[in-house]
Amino acid sequence: MGAVHIVLGLISLAATLAWVVLLTRAVVQMVRTVRLGQPDPTRNGPLGGRLKNMLVEILGHTRMLKWGVVGAAHWFVMVGFGSLVLTLVEAHGEVFDPAYELPIIGGWAPWGLFVELIGLTTVVGILVLITIRQRNHPRRADRQSRFQGSNFWQAYFVEGVILSVGICIFAIRAFKTSSGLFHYPVWATPITHALGAILPSAPIMVSIFAVLKIFISAAWAITIARNLNMGVAWHRFTAFFNIYFKREADGGVALGAAKPMMSGGKPLDFEEADPEKDVFGAGKVEDFSWKGWLDFTTCTECGRCQSQCPAWNTGKPLSPKLVITQLRDHAYAKAPYLLAGGRKDMAGDEVGITGDDAEARLAKIDVLALAESDRPLIGGPDELGIIDPEVLWSCTTCGACVEQCPVDIEHVDHIVDMRRYQVLIESNFPSELGGMFKNLENKGNPWGQNAKDRLAWTEGLDFEVPVFDGELGDTEYLFWVGCAGAFEDRAKKTTRAVAELLHLAEVKYTVLGPEETCTGDPARRAGNEFLFQMLAQQNVEVLNSVFEGRPKGKRKIVATCAHCFNSLANEYPQLGGEFEVVHHTQLLNRLVRERRLVPVAPLAEDVTYHDPCYLGRHNQVYSPPRELIGATGAAFREMPRHGDRSMCCGAGGARMWMEERIGKRINVDRVDEALGTAPTKIATGCPFCRVMLTDGVTQRQNEGQGASVEVVDVSQLLLSAVRRGQPAAAADEPEDTPTDAEPSGTPATEQDKS
């Protein structure tokens, strides 16, 4: 061991000590920062289930592998990052002694083979990821790039570190080989021996590359320790925790039910809530739960969410990725102020740091943190807001972002929480929603129609629709018609078709008629939680009285609206309403399988299917509608974006009642994709989707495109096949021709389309 080796070794040890100390301090700081969020006790268990899901999701890369090559390359890089840490330990010994090997496993052929293979796949994997990033760089593709808005210097730094460390591993081993210091067999380390055969004998180069490897690793650790908001690097550690603490303990994504409003770790009781003390949604970054702060910290800026977002893809300002990164940067910039005890009331006055020493305490806080504490969470550029209102209200809550996120960030929950504060506390929301809220509160439906007209859809049917009269008797299903199904002309056709199919299949069902009211879905997604609670509790009370005396397994509801289906099945249990809820496509598909409904002759139609977000992504119902289309004999044509990557129609998140003023209309974009499959009919399973798609088709037809295409519900296709050759019934009337008879208060997206 010469003087050079000793000097290099001591420098390496000093660098390692520095990064260990700094990284440890950074972890402590990060934990303290994340804990600034509101408590959330729902994330605590069960330990076994959460741990199993985390290991399956991470080690199996179940989310990442949805993107094929990217997922495979990332898996090898991840494995290399974790498993090759022993080569860093070995490098410290090699600085002092080029011949150094790890105790016990040093020279062991299986270990040599493992390092050879993982080292190679890590280098190849990161080269693949670098290539993908460059091929999708926004300088070439603008909004088509999922990396638009990502922090590139951080990504380049991390990619460079991984590639450099991989090269150093092979360089160290190759110079060991050329110097006669490598004791692994050729069959276990063929690449190393091949490189060593062309290199000169130079033991000092082993130490030099070992030092270089240590310095590169130290630079990486010190850099991320100084940048707690560097998610592209920190996700290597925080992803484990973010996935473990995901909202759904069974491993499901944070879709379906909206997250209940919480304050202080408990569900918010509106009867006793105090806006001065309780948290109403998220009006400040500290109003998000600690899991929200962990979400912000873990974002890798990969842009998968952005690439799937219907708002972003149609020119809106919303990018789910940028929402999270903006919240992250704001949270970490404001953290010093919050950690010092700073807090402001609703009027913006300081109430956390008070007293005689307040000025001295404030003077100790970084001036940038103090400036950040004055910024509003929601506000336009002139207000220096973190999230622009146009961004907040562009979201359709379709869930594509949540479905695609490889680290289980809960974008939709955070957006809904911010909307809740804006609606309930600030009364600051798009003007179109005011009429919708008023109609829901006064009339029990977003169109403002009278409850007595909820049975108008039954007129003209040649059979009697049973209406609940106080006794269920042998009734098997309660048919939840929904507001659209009762009042919207196009949706009425779906309602009549389903009713006739149930009648033909001799299914015992009943409807509530005037006793039915809106499930509250539009109110909840728009942030009006109070109105949702009012409507939902009213419905739960009615439904519990209807099913009184029946066990839970016999409380069956069938719904034609994907939004009603989602609320009844996933959200009403939060309020004591536990029912067995099925979508009409699920029930009809079962009836076809049981041959209680038998298609008579195949339909001579080319049909494409649009997945409603609240049926597909939110509830994982993909097969039944497609199987029903197949049962009709129609030629099925799948759109490029389908299943869990289906494009939204633009109606969710209460967007059906808001005008689309920026970019291309989402429904038109979806219709363009549908028309590209050359169908004669576009089928769907949700009245909201049907309205939006029909309007999109109408616009394109006015422009001379898709002249013969009709938008129908899957149930209508089935009814046509079942009653093939028989006289047309009321449900078979001409499709979706806009009339003047549509309900007053027609959604904004239906206006000025002609």
Side-chain angles (χ1 to χ4, degrees):
M1 183 187 305
V4 173
H5 292 95
I6 294 175
V7 171
L8 291 176
L10 292 176
I11 293 174
S12 298
L13 290 176
T16 298
L17 178 62
W19 75 252
V20 168
V21 170
L22 289 175
L23 200 60
T24 301
R25 289 176 57 188
V27 170
V28 172
Q29 180 74 4
M30 180 175 287
V31 172
R32 291 182 65 212
T33 301
V34 168
R35 292 183 65 186
L36 287 169
Q38 294 292 311
D40 186 352
T42 65
R43 313 281 178 162
N44 294 335
L47 174 64
R50 287 186 176 274
L51 187 61
K52 177 183 177 182
N53 174 69
M54 179 194 73
L55 293 174
V56 168
E57 201 166 309
I58 290 179
L59 298 182
H61 252 40
T62 54
R63 307 293 292 282
M64 287 293 298
L65 288 174
K66 288 183 177 182
W67 283 48
V69 173
V70 178
H74 188 275
W75 187 87
F76 284 114
V77 171
M78 178 197 72
V79 171
F81 177 83
S83 61
L84 296 181
V85 67
L86 287 178
T87 64
L88 180 60
V89 175
E90 190 174 42
H92 285 79
E94 291 165 336
V95 174
F96 289 98
D97 178 9
Y100 177 82
E101 291 179 339
L102 290 171
I104 304 176
I105 61 175
W108 187 40
W111 170 247
L113 177 62
F114 177 80
V115 174
E116 192 88 350
L117 291 177
I118 298 301
L120 174 63
T121 53
T122 298
V123 170
V124 172
I126 197 62
L127 285 173
V128 169
L129 295 179
I130 289 172
T131 301
I132 289 172
R133 184 179 294 274
Q134 290 307 308
R135 290 185 64 183
N136 292 277
H137 197 286
R139 64 173 170 260
R140 299 178 182 175
D142 194 39
R143 280 205 171 212
Q144 296 301 312
S145 170
R146 61 189 175 95
F147 299 115
Q148 178 77 23
S150 296
N151 193 312
F152 273 81
W153 82 259
Q154 293 181 358
Y156 290 157
F157 175 75
V158 171
E159 290 168 349
V161 165
I162 295 172
L163 180 60
S164 300
V165 167
I167 292 172
C168 284
I169 289 174
F170 279 106
I172 291 169
R173 289 157 66 92
F175 274 110
K176 272 191 168 185
T177 301
S178 68
S179 303
L181 305 174
F182 200 62
H183 304 127
Y184 294 93
V186 175
W187 66 265
T189 56
I191 299 174
T192 297
H193 278 84
L195 292 173
I198 61 175
L199 292 176
S201 176
I204 189 63
M205 294 303 295
V206 175
S207 298
I208 290 174
F209 273 101
V211 169
L212 183 60
K213 184 177 188 299
I214 292 169
F215 280 8
I216 291 172
S217 300
W220 179 82
I222 292 171
T223 299
I224 72 169
R226 300 282 294 176
N227 295 274
L228 298 185
N229 59 354
M230 195 173 174
V232 69
W234 276 107
H235 83 276
R236 285 163 172 74
F237 308 108
T238 59
F240 291 89
F241 301 97
N242 211 54
I243 294 172
Y244 177 87
F245 289 115
K246 65 193 302 184
R247 192 180 82 182
E248 304 300 328
D250 63 0
V253 294
L255 295 174
K259 186 186 72 171
M261 277 187 75
M262 306 281 286
S263 179
K266 299 177 181 178
L268 188 68
D269 184 345
F270 280 98
E271 293 184 0
E272 300 180 0
D274 182 356
E276 294 290 341
K277 299 178 181 178
D278 289 301
V279 174
F280 278 67
K284 302 181 291 294
V285 72
E286 57 266 35
D287 291 341
F288 291 103
S289 72
W290 61 263
K291 175 54 170 65
W293 283 61
L294 187 57
D295 276 355
F296 309 154
T297 302
T298 307
C299 180
T300 71
E301 302 186 34
C302 67
R304 291 188 180 207
C305 58
Q306 180 174 287
S307 71
Q308 303 298 304
C309 178
W312 178 261
N313 282 309
T314 53
K316 314 295 188 294
L318 168 63
S319 159
K321 174 186 69 180
L322 296 181
V323 167
I324 297 300
T325 56
Q326 287 162 358
L327 290 172
R328 176 198 65 198
D329 293 344
H330 171 61
Y332 277 90
K334 188 177 179 179
Y337 165 77
L338 297 174
L339 288 169
R343 183 169 63 88
K344 290 181 170 63
D345 60 15
M346 293 176 62
D349 297 323
E350 180 62 48
V351 294
I353 301 177
T354 57
D356 296 336
D357 62 342
E359 289 189 14
R361 292 168 61 191
L362 287 170
K364 295 179 181 179
I365 302 173
D366 188 290
V367 65
L368 295 178
L370 290 175
E372 199 72 23
S373 70
D374 288 329
R375 297 181 64 189
L377 187 67
I378 307 297
D382 55 332
E383 302 171 280
L384 296 179
I386 308 304
I387 305 297
D388 192 284
E390 290 287 358
V391 169
L392 182 65
W393 294 106
S394 291
C395 180
T396 67
T397 68
C398 70
C401 49
V402 180
E403 175 67 38
Q404 288 297 322
C405 182
V407 292
D408 284 305
I409 292 172
E410 299 161 6
H411 314 72
V412 173
D413 283 349
H414 303 322
I415 287 173
V416 170
D417 267 343
M418 287 187 282
R419 286 183 173 185
R420 284 166 168 167
Y421 187 87
Q422 293 301 302
V423 172
L424 298 175
I425 301 300
E426 298 289 344
S427 295
N428 187 9
F429 47 83
S431 58
E432 303 100 321
L433 291 179
M436 190 263 286
F437 290 154
K438 184 177 180 180
N439 287 336
L440 287 176
E441 186 173 359
N442 296 333
K443 297 290 188 176
N445 67 86
W447 282 279
Q449 298 292 291
N450 294 319
K452 64 181 179 61
D453 295 326
R454 277 191 175 266
L455 289 173
W457 63 270
T458 64
E459 297 172 2
L461 292 175
D462 57 3
F463 59 91
E464 184 178 352
V465 174
V467 182
F468 180 70
D469 59 1
E471 293 291 336
L472 279 180
D474 60 350
T475 298
E476 184 178 6
Y477 285 96
L478 173 68
F479 180 11
W480 187 270
V481 175
C483 301
F487 299 122
E488 209 282 325
D489 282 353
R490 287 158 281 196
K492 286 180 185 178
K493 298 172 187 177
T494 301
T495 309
R496 287 195 287 266
V498 172
E500 184 164 353
L501 288 166
L502 295 180
H503 175 71
L504 291 172
E506 298 183 349
V507 174
K508 301 291 185 181
Y509 73 95
T510 188
V511 299
L512 287 179
E515 293 299 311
E516 189 178 294
T517 192
C518 180
T519 59
D521 166 84
R524 187 170 224 193
R525 266 66 196 178
N528 198 335
E529 183 72 11
F530 179 81
L531 182 53
F532 165 77
Q533 294 281 339
M534 183 183 76
L535 294 168
Q537 287 173 3
Q538 178 182 335
N539 281 325
V540 167
E541 184 178 341
V542 170
L543 290 171
N544 282 339
S545 66
V546 168
F547 288 116
E548 187 175 4
R550 282 201 174 186
K552 291 180 181 178
K554 298 291 185 179
R555 299 181 166 204
K556 298 181 180 181
I557 300 175
V558 58
T560 57
C561 175
H563 296 262
C564 294
F565 167 68
N566 179 68
S567 293
L568 292 166
N570 299 319
E571 297 182 329
Y572 279 28
Q574 299 171 359
L575 303 172
E578 298 188 16
F579 316 107
E580 182 180 316
V581 188
V582 296
H583 190 254
H584 71 286
T585 57
Q586 294 175 300
L587 177 57
L588 295 178
N589 193 45
R590 179 167 67 80
L591 295 175
V592 170
R593 287 184 172 186
E594 294 174 353
R595 299 194 65 78
R596 293 169 67 181
L597 289 173
V598 182
V600 176
L603 298 179
E605 304 280 5
D606 293 324
V607 179
T608 190
Y609 176 70
H610 165 78
D611 287 279
C613 300
Y614 275 80
L615 183 63
R617 271 189 294 269
H618 281 270
N619 286 282
Q620 305 301 301
V621 179
Y622 298 111
S623 297
R626 289 172 168 79
E627 291 175 6
L628 278 178
I629 294 173
T632 68
F636 180 58
R637 300 173 181 269
E638 195 77 87
M639 280 187 266
R641 290 179 289 186
H642 62 273
D644 60 9
R645 292 197 191 183
S646 179
M647 173 70 172
C648 180
C649 73
R655 286 294 320 175
M656 185 160 168
W657 285 272
M658 288 183 266
E659 185 54 81
E660 229 175 310
R661 298 183 177 90
I662 302 174
K664 183 179 180 181
R665 289 184 180 273
I666 294 174
N667 61 331
V668 173
D669 190 65
R670 184 56 165 168
V671 163
D672 286 343
E673 183 175 5
L675 295 179
T677 66
T680 54
K681 283 186 169 58
I682 303 172
T684 188
C686 176
F688 285 13
C689 295
R690 182 171 179 173
V691 168
M692 301 299 286
L693 294 175
T694 301
D695 289 345
V697 167
T698 300
Q699 178 172 326
R700 285 301 184 230
Q701 288 175 343
N702 290 339
E703 296 167 356
Q705 303 176 40
S708 61
V709 175
E710 296 174 341
V711 181
V712 299
D713 187 84
V714 174
S715 60
Q716 290 176 279
L717 290 176
L718 179 63
L719 182 60
S720 295
V722 168
R723 304 186 68 235
R724 192 80 164 151
Q726 298 183 24
D732 297 317
E733 60 194 79
E735 295 300 327
D736 297 343
T737 301
T739 70
D740 294 331
E742 296 209 359
S744 61
T746 301
T749 49
E750 293 181 55
Q751 296 172 356
D752 54 72
K753 293 289 181 69
S754 58

PDB file of all heavy atoms in Angstrom, residues 691-707:
ATOM      1  N   VAL A 691     -74.152  11.784 -24.250  1.00  0.00           N
ATOM      2  CA  VAL A 691     -74.426  13.182 -24.573  1.00  0.00           C
ATOM      3  C   VAL A 691     -73.201  13.829 -25.211  1.00  0.00           C
ATOM      4  O   VAL A 691     -73.288  14.486 -26.257  1.00  0.00           O
ATOM      5  CB  VAL A 691     -74.842  13.957 -23.306  1.00  0.00           C
ATOM      6  CG1 VAL A 691     -74.831  15.456 -23.568  1.00  0.00           C
ATOM      7  CG2 VAL A 691     -76.215  13.513 -22.834  1.00  0.00           C
ATOM      8  N   MET A 692     -72.051  13.635 -24.588  1.00  0.00           N
ATOM      9  CA  MET A 692     -70.835  14.286 -25.080  1.00  0.00           C
ATOM     10  C   MET A 692     -70.431  13.759 -26.450  1.00  0.00           C
ATOM     11  O   MET A 692     -70.065  14.531 -27.347  1.00  0.00           O
ATOM     12  CB  MET A 692     -69.696  14.068 -24.079  1.00  0.00           C
ATOM     13  CG  MET A 692     -69.969  14.613 -22.686  1.00  0.00           C
ATOM     14  SD  MET A 692     -70.236  16.400 -22.645  1.00  0.00           S
ATOM     15  CE  MET A 692     -68.578  17.005 -22.875  1.00  0.00           C
ATOM     16  N   LEU A 693     -70.496  12.447 -26.627  1.00  0.00           N
ATOM     17  CA  LEU A 693     -70.107  11.867 -27.911  1.00  0.00           C
ATOM     18  C   LEU A 693     -71.084  12.252 -29.018  1.00  0.00           C
ATOM     19  O   LEU A 693     -70.684  12.517 -30.159  1.00  0.00           O
ATOM     20  CB  LEU A 693     -70.019  10.347 -27.787  1.00  0.00           C
ATOM     21  CG  LEU A 693     -68.918   9.814 -26.857  1.00  0.00           C
ATOM     22  CD1 LEU A 693     -69.022   8.304 -26.725  1.00  0.00           C
ATOM     23  CD2 LEU A 693     -67.538  10.215 -27.355  1.00  0.00           C
ATOM     24  N   THR A 694     -72.370  12.281 -28.676  1.00  0.00           N
ATOM     25  CA  THR A 694     -73.368  12.677 -29.667  1.00  0.00           C
ATOM     26  C   THR A 694     -73.136  14.112 -30.125  1.00  0.00           C
ATOM     27  O   THR A 694     -73.207  14.421 -31.324  1.00  0.00           O
ATOM     28  CB  THR A 694     -74.790  12.556 -29.090  1.00  0.00           C
ATOM     29  OG1 THR A 694     -75.010  11.208 -28.685  1.00  0.00           O
ATOM     30  CG2 THR A 694     -75.836  12.942 -30.118  1.00  0.00           C
ATOM     31  N   ASP A 695     -72.828  14.990 -29.175  1.00  0.00           N
ATOM     32  CA  ASP A 695     -72.562  16.378 -29.542  1.00  0.00           C
ATOM     33  C   ASP A 695     -71.313  16.481 -30.411  1.00  0.00           C
ATOM     34  O   ASP A 695     -71.248  17.288 -31.338  1.00  0.00           O
ATOM     35  CB  ASP A 695     -72.396  17.234 -28.287  1.00  0.00           C
ATOM     36  CG  ASP A 695     -73.715  17.434 -27.549  1.00  0.00           C
ATOM     37  OD1 ASP A 695     -74.764  17.155 -28.150  1.00  0.00           O
ATOM     38  OD2 ASP A 695     -73.690  17.846 -26.382  1.00  0.00           O
ATOM     39  N   GLY A 696     -70.312  15.662 -30.104  1.00  0.00           N
ATOM     40  CA  GLY A 696     -69.106  15.657 -30.916  1.00  0.00           C
ATOM     41  C   GLY A 696     -69.374  15.157 -32.325  1.00  0.00           C
ATOM     42  O   GLY A 696     -68.867  15.713 -33.306  1.00  0.00           O
ATOM     43  N   VAL A 697     -70.183  14.095 -32.429  1.00  0.00           N
ATOM     44  CA  VAL A 697     -70.549  13.572 -33.744  1.00  0.00           C
ATOM     45  C   VAL A 697     -71.340  14.616 -34.533  1.00  0.00           C
ATOM     46  O   VAL A 697     -71.121  14.825 -35.734  1.00  0.00           O
ATOM     47  CB  VAL A 697     -71.360  12.266 -33.606  1.00  0.00           C
ATOM     48  CG1 VAL A 697     -72.017  11.893 -34.933  1.00  0.00           C
ATOM     49  CG2 VAL A 697     -70.463  11.134 -33.128  1.00  0.00           C
ATOM     50  N   THR A 698     -72.281  15.278 -33.843  1.00  0.00           N
ATOM     51  CA  THR A 698     -73.083  16.308 -34.504  1.00  0.00           C
ATOM     52  C   THR A 698     -72.197  17.413 -35.065  1.00  0.00           C
ATOM     53  O   THR A 698     -72.393  17.887 -36.195  1.00  0.00           O
ATOM     54  CB  THR A 698     -74.101  16.909 -33.516  1.00  0.00           C
ATOM     55  OG1 THR A 698     -74.964  15.875 -33.046  1.00  0.00           O
ATOM     56  CG2 THR A 698     -74.930  17.989 -34.184  1.00  0.00           C
ATOM     57  N   GLN A 699     -71.199  17.839 -34.277  1.00  0.00           N
ATOM     58  CA  GLN A 699     -70.293  18.884 -34.756  1.00  0.00           C
ATOM     59  C   GLN A 699     -69.541  18.416 -35.995  1.00  0.00           C
ATOM     60  O   GLN A 699     -69.415  19.161 -36.976  1.00  0.00           O
ATOM     61  CB  GLN A 699     -69.296  19.259 -33.658  1.00  0.00           C
ATOM     62  CG  GLN A 699     -68.285  20.322 -34.102  1.00  0.00           C
ATOM     63  CD  GLN A 699     -67.425  20.824 -32.967  1.00  0.00           C
ATOM     64  OE1 GLN A 699     -67.877  20.911 -31.829  1.00  0.00           O
ATOM     65  NE2 GLN A 699     -66.171  21.146 -33.267  1.00  0.00           N
ATOM     66  N   ARG A 700     -69.037  17.191 -35.959  1.00  0.00           N
ATOM     67  CA  ARG A 700     -68.299  16.681 -37.110  1.00  0.00           C
ATOM     68  C   ARG A 700     -69.218  16.487 -38.316  1.00  0.00           C
ATOM     69  O   ARG A 700     -68.817  16.725 -39.459  1.00  0.00           O
ATOM     70  CB  ARG A 700     -67.594  15.377 -36.746  1.00  0.00           C
ATOM     71  CG  ARG A 700     -66.360  15.577 -35.881  1.00  0.00           C
ATOM     72  CD  ARG A 700     -65.369  16.458 -36.584  1.00  0.00           C
ATOM     73  NE  ARG A 700     -64.113  16.624 -35.859  1.00  0.00           N
ATOM     74  CZ  ARG A 700     -63.546  17.782 -35.610  1.00  0.00           C
ATOM     75  NH1 ARG A 700     -64.165  18.901 -36.001  1.00  0.00           N
ATOM     76  NH2 ARG A 700     -62.388  17.867 -34.991  1.00  0.00           N
ATOM     77  N   GLN A 701     -70.459  16.066 -38.076  1.00  0.00           N
ATOM     78  CA  GLN A 701     -71.397  15.911 -39.189  1.00  0.00           C
ATOM     79  C   GLN A 701     -71.719  17.257 -39.828  1.00  0.00           C
ATOM     80  O   GLN A 701     -71.866  17.363 -41.045  1.00  0.00           O
ATOM     81  CB  GLN A 701     -72.670  15.210 -38.704  1.00  0.00           C
ATOM     82  CG  GLN A 701     -72.465  13.732 -38.409  1.00  0.00           C
ATOM     83  CD  GLN A 701     -73.685  13.075 -37.809  1.00  0.00           C
ATOM     84  OE1 GLN A 701     -74.589  13.760 -37.307  1.00  0.00           O
ATOM     85  NE2 GLN A 701     -73.726  11.749 -37.842  1.00  0.00           N
ATOM     86  N   ASN A 702     -71.822  18.280 -39.012  1.00  0.00           N
ATOM     87  CA  ASN A 702     -72.050  19.624 -39.547  1.00  0.00           C
ATOM     88  C   ASN A 702     -70.877  20.090 -40.403  1.00  0.00           C
ATOM     89  O   ASN A 702     -71.020  20.960 -41.267  1.00  0.00           O
ATOM     90  CB  ASN A 702     -72.289  20.616 -38.409  1.00  0.00           C
ATOM     91  CG  ASN A 702     -73.620  20.396 -37.712  1.00  0.00           C
ATOM     92  OD1 ASN A 702     -74.527  19.788 -38.285  1.00  0.00           O
ATOM     93  ND2 ASN A 702     -73.736  20.866 -36.485  1.00  0.00           N
ATOM     94  N   GLU A 703     -69.717  19.485 -40.131  1.00  0.00           N
ATOM     95  CA  GLU A 703     -68.516  19.809 -40.902  1.00  0.00           C
ATOM     96  C   GLU A 703     -68.301  18.833 -42.063  1.00  0.00           C
ATOM     97  O   GLU A 703     -67.276  18.886 -42.733  1.00  0.00           O
ATOM     98  CB  GLU A 703     -67.296  19.793 -39.976  1.00  0.00           C
ATOM     99  CG  GLU A 703     -67.358  20.854 -38.888  1.00  0.00           C
ATOM    100  CD  GLU A 703     -66.324  20.645 -37.792  1.00  0.00           C
ATOM    101  OE1 GLU A 703     -65.598  19.622 -37.848  1.00  0.00           O
ATOM    102  OE2 GLU A 703     -66.240  21.485 -36.884  1.00  0.00           O
ATOM    103  N   GLY A 704     -69.274  17.909 -42.231  1.00  0.00           N
ATOM    104  CA  GLY A 704     -69.211  16.987 -43.355  1.00  0.00           C
ATOM    105  C   GLY A 704     -68.492  15.690 -43.088  1.00  0.00           C
ATOM    106  O   GLY A 704     -68.084  14.998 -44.015  1.00  0.00           O
ATOM    107  N   GLN A 705     -68.336  15.316 -41.793  1.00  0.00           N
ATOM    108  CA  GLN A 705     -67.649  14.074 -41.453  1.00  0.00           C
ATOM    109  C   GLN A 705     -68.589  13.140 -40.699  1.00  0.00           C
ATOM    110  O   GLN A 705     -69.459  13.589 -39.967  1.00  0.00           O
ATOM    111  CB  GLN A 705     -66.421  14.356 -40.575  1.00  0.00           C
ATOM    112  CG  GLN A 705     -65.425  15.318 -41.190  1.00  0.00           C
ATOM    113  CD  GLN A 705     -64.297  15.636 -40.232  1.00  0.00           C
ATOM    114  OE1 GLN A 705     -63.802  14.776 -39.522  1.00  0.00           O
ATOM    115  NE2 GLN A 705     -63.885  16.898 -40.214  1.00  0.00           N
ATOM    116  N   GLY A 706     -68.373  11.823 -40.826  1.00  0.00           N
ATOM    117  CA  GLY A 706     -69.119  10.833 -40.060  1.00  0.00           C
ATOM    118  C   GLY A 706     -70.616  10.936 -40.233  1.00  0.00           C
ATOM    119  O   GLY A 706     -71.368  10.809 -39.266  1.00  0.00           O
ATOM    120  N   ALA A 707     -71.078  11.119 -41.452  1.00  0.00           N
ATOM    121  CA  ALA A 707     -72.496  11.401 -41.695  1.00  0.00           C
ATOM    122  C   ALA A 707     -73.420  10.301 -41.204  1.00  0.00           C
ATOM    123  O   ALA A 707     -74.521  10.574 -40.732  1.00  0.00           O
ATOM    124  CB  ALA A 707     -72.715  11.644 -43.188  1.00  0.00           C
TER     125      ALA A 707
END
